[in-house]
Amino acid sequence: MNRATRVALAAVFAAALAAASTSSFWEMSSFTDFIAGKMDGVALSRDGRLSAAPHLDTVFDSGQPVIWSVVNGPGGVLYAATGHHGRIYRIDASGKSSLLWTSDRPEVFALAVNPQGDLYAATSPNGKIYKIHPTSGDAQVTEYFDPKSAYIWALACAPDGALYAGTGDSGVVYKITAAGKGEPYYQTGQGNVTGLMLDSSGRLLAGTEPNGILYRITAKDKAFALYDSTLPEVRALATGADGSVYVAGLGGALAKKIQAAQQNQGLQQDAVPTISTTITVTAQAGAELKPTAPQAVPVQAAPAAATPTPTATTEAVGVEKSAIYRIYPDNTVDTLWSSKEENVYDILPQTNGDLDFITDQNARIYRLTPSRRLTLIAQTNDGEAVRLLRERDTLLVATANSGKLYRLGAAAAGGAYESPVFDANATSRWGRLRWDGEGMKIETRSGNSLRPDNSWSDWSPALTDASGSPITSPNARYLQFRASLTTTAAHLDNISAAYLPQNSPPAVHAITVTQQAPPAPAAKTAAAGSQSAFSISVTDTGDAGPTASTGTATQTMSRSAIQSLLISWSDDDPDSDKLVYELAFRGEGEDQWTILRRDLHDPYVTLDGDALADGRYYFRVTASDRESNPAGSAREAELVSSPVLIDNTPPTIRIQSSARNAATADIAFDALDAASPLRRAEWSLDAGAWTPVAPLDGVLDSRSEQFRLHVTGIPAGEHLLVLRVADSGGNTGLAKVNLR
């Protein structure tokens, strides 16, 4: 059985088990799955295979926060420029390092070496370009050129001895031919010139910010906009064996972030302009690229100016952070790679057609083949990889947030992969761990905090059976595994862990008792089945529906002109289990519950209006997930309503006395209700308007009340006086008095 078949069967099996609410599976098999973990000496292919990575040797540790630039010098010497104390170091072929020079400016962003072996260094902010000639003793340092610019981002040496400098904030490219002799070579109209390179034909290429335009400059004040990126900054440039140009577009606009950081920190010597990965997108109009006239702003129809104003940038979310483009000799463009998660800071084509590049995520080093097969070949885990350099047959990587220089060596055993933390969403019982691979030692640990800390278990003994080793880590909510490579041929393609989450109990949140209206006549079918306006809800907090009372209201249900009561409830289950219900009731003063319905699957019950006699009742709903879980782990929850008053009987009225005297009459009567307090009393003469009458005690609030009615203005002759009293359930009692 091949790996694809095993994965497919595992997925089907896991889905079937999940539907039965038994075992679930955590599986990692893709590049996206594994890239979320921590890698140390481990490579990751695009198809999701972990393998031994090239060994990373520390060539140089500057002790500084960042190495901004690294260049090759004569005889295998390396020069490294650091921030944020403006230092340049010399590393000889044996790996011995020494401090070559310290600038009076905090940053040395760019270095370049001419064919004679002289070193050029550009300092910022408000710095200058220096020429450094290393000797057996102290370096000979001379001021070479002052462009009068806030920043000098890039340097490039031409075969004819000319030196080019890319500057900001004015976005000017300078050409320097000798000490003190330089002039503006091309004004880009951009804020910053962030990358410079001479292509295979000796033409100067300049990458810019904030509009991310790449220029090909062929003469003074003469340039062609070779490519207009959708990203704000063109930072890294490289040329391929066939004359293609590789371009790294940066969404984080590193130049702008460094400027902002230094401005906020007052341009102090010890200022630390943090490399930020905030995505920045330039607001610009899209237009067809055309050759530009000297000092004109391509793409935008803005007039040329001595000091062009860069286009404003705005923050955006969910767009590309970076991309790598290949511009072919015929000027056609292909996007080789893009990311919404990582910033690419440097690129380096190989002679076999592969492309190596580095990013800011854990200082990762990627390799992209001509067939677009991507492999994470190594990562230093030291913040961000900033510069990539070829040294004979190996690669050198410079990092930020820990200014070190690494050399990539041959594949080596001893690497380790630490998975992301898996969240089972509840305390779980762990099953077996299965994996496809060889040369791996697998261990697990578990805990109940999101991030592993001292409360987590120790790493378990190594699991040995790839076809299914029991996980011995304690039952918990979170799980993590660690894979250690024991051979150079070790690899891991797929790994899965079975687990049984602890069953969480359901919850019943509210019980609602509602009057159901009788069927409407045929002429009123639109209103048929509608509920009356009288509806009371009981929540799991014990609160009733809207009421003027500050306490828990007793629900009162009247059966006047109704056929049924609807008892419904709301609930949920954290595990999305299928629930089964039981509805019970008991009368006030009773101890035993009487079951109304069992094994319900719908959250409601309809009762006949005559099923319960007058009185107060409590309703209890019990919800169980027993149909979705084994008997030993099934859970249930219940909720009891506040008292519900069933009132079906109208009040009775007893006439105590009645006397008429000409135009006046005096009537004494009592009213009594068997179930609920009286709420309204009124009288009507000869079917006229109803007039309220108050009880003797002034407040109509008891089941029994006494009334004295004095009526005046009665015309001569016999008359009919009707008394009407209503209870809390809306039931109405009537009595009549003949006045003669």
Side-chain angles (χ1 to χ4, degrees), residues 382-403:
D382 279 340
E384 301 165 325
V386 179
R387 288 299 177 189
L388 192 58
L389 183 70
R390 181 182 292 110
E391 184 194 38
R392 295 183 290 275
D393 297 330
T394 63
L395 294 178
L396 295 176
V397 181
T399 62
N401 299 333
S402 177

Side-chain angles (χ1 to χ4, degrees), residues 527-678:
S530 63
Q531 297 179 352
S532 73
F534 192 93
S535 176
I536 299 176
S537 296
V538 182
T539 69
D540 51 2
T541 63
D543 296 333
T547 176
S549 171
T550 58
T552 301
T554 297
Q555 302 179 70
T556 304
M557 295 286 107
S558 168
R559 291 214 182 74
S560 299
I562 69 169
Q563 286 189 333
S564 60
L565 295 179
L566 176 65
I567 305 170
S568 60
W569 52 92
S570 61
D571 58 78
D572 66 62
D573 187 272
D575 306 318
S576 299
D577 288 338
K578 181 180 179 181
L579 298 180
V580 60
Y581 310 104
E582 177 186 273
L583 177 64
F585 79 97
R586 67 173 176 85
E588 189 175 48
E590 298 175 0
D591 297 326
Q592 299 296 320
W593 289 95
T594 301
I595 306 301
L596 279 172
R597 300 288 190 276
R598 286 190 174 94
D599 300 328
L600 292 167
H601 292 93
D602 295 318
Y604 60 86
V605 167
T606 301
L607 297 179
D608 184 83
D610 295 323
L612 299 174
D614 290 356
R616 296 175 185 269
Y617 295 90
Y618 295 89
F619 294 95
R620 183 187 70 188
V621 174
T622 304
S624 172
D625 60 8
R626 64 176 181 268
E627 294 186 355
S628 298
N629 294 277
S633 60
R635 306 289 296 274
E636 66 178 32
E638 69 175 36
L639 178 66
V640 177
S641 73
S642 59
V644 176
L645 178 60
I646 303 297
D647 188 356
N648 185 46
T649 305
T652 58
I653 301 175
R654 294 180 300 177
I655 307 298
Q656 300 295 339
S657 64
S658 173
R660 177 178 176 179
N661 183 11
T664 65
D666 292 283
I667 300 97
F669 65 96
D670 299 336
L672 175 68
D673 191 87
S676 63
L678 303 176

Side-chain angles (χ1 to χ4, degrees), residues 47-129:
D47 58 1
R49 166 170 282 200
L50 289 174
S51 58
H55 187 66
L56 281 172
D57 295 316
T58 302
V59 176
F60 169 62
D61 185 350
S62 68
Q64 303 299 304
V66 58
I67 295 178
W68 288 123
S69 181
V70 181
V71 293
N72 289 307
V77 170
L78 297 172
Y79 298 108
T82 69
H84 307 298
H85 297 283
R87 295 173 181 174
I88 299 176
Y89 293 86
R90 180 182 185 275
I91 304 105
D92 64 22
S94 67
K96 182 180 179 181
S97 62
S98 59
L99 178 62
L100 184 65
W101 178 64
T102 301
S103 168
D104 62 348
R105 298 282 84 196
E107 312 298 334
V108 181
F109 287 128
L111 297 175
V113 176
N114 67 13
Q116 292 73 40
D118 294 321
L119 176 67
Y120 296 99
T123 64
S124 292
N126 302 320
K128 301 174 183 179
I129 300 172

